[in-house]
Amino acid sequence: AECSEPDVAECNCLIVLGTSLKVSPFNTLVGRVGIDVPRVLINRDPVAVERKHPAEADGTMRNGFRFEGDHAYRDVFLQRNTDDAVTGLSELL
């Protein structure tokens, strides 16, 4: 986790691909980037969604993705196969 600190500080867009985000320390990266950094999840299912209540069940996390609501200003969920999504994005570049 400490090796990622310089990278997290420099991050200007976090792209998360094809994961359950259940393994530490990688699952903490979503909440460690700056509040103005766009976060994109490309996955079959939404994961690491922000907890709405402290006692909420698994599948949610503190400082997780916010795909809906008033505070959903920087998070994007692309529900796709990761290979197809990356190919499509690379063609746009």
Side-chain angles (χ1 to χ4, degrees):
E2 61 275 351
C3 293
S4 67
E5 289 304 321
D7 294 329
V8 169
E10 296 288 322
C11 182
N12 60 18
C13 181
L14 179 69
I15 300 174
V16 179
L17 300 164
T19 180
S20 66
L21 282 176
K22 291 185 180 181
V23 178
S24 184
F26 301 104
N27 61 354
T28 65
L29 292 174
V30 171
R32 290 177 36 216
V33 296
I35 61 169
D36 59 340
V37 173
R39 305 182 301 181
V40 180
L41 173 64
I42 301 172
N43 211 20
R44 291 186 182 149
D45 300 300
V47 295
V49 176
E50 183 168 75
R51 219 175 253 152
K52 293 181 180 156
H53 185 274
E56 205 164 337
D58 286 341
T60 62
M61 67 184 295
R62 187 172 163 259
N63 298 320
F65 289 110
R66 296 177 184 174
F67 300 122
E68 299 175 1
D70 295 339
H71 299 288
Y73 64 93
R74 66 176 178 155
D75 295 336
V76 176
F77 174 51
L78 299 175
Q79 188 170 22
R80 293 188 174 73
N81 172 293
T82 56
D83 291 343
D84 295 340
V86 170
T87 298
L89 288 173
S90 67
E91 288 172 354
L92 293 172
L93 298 174

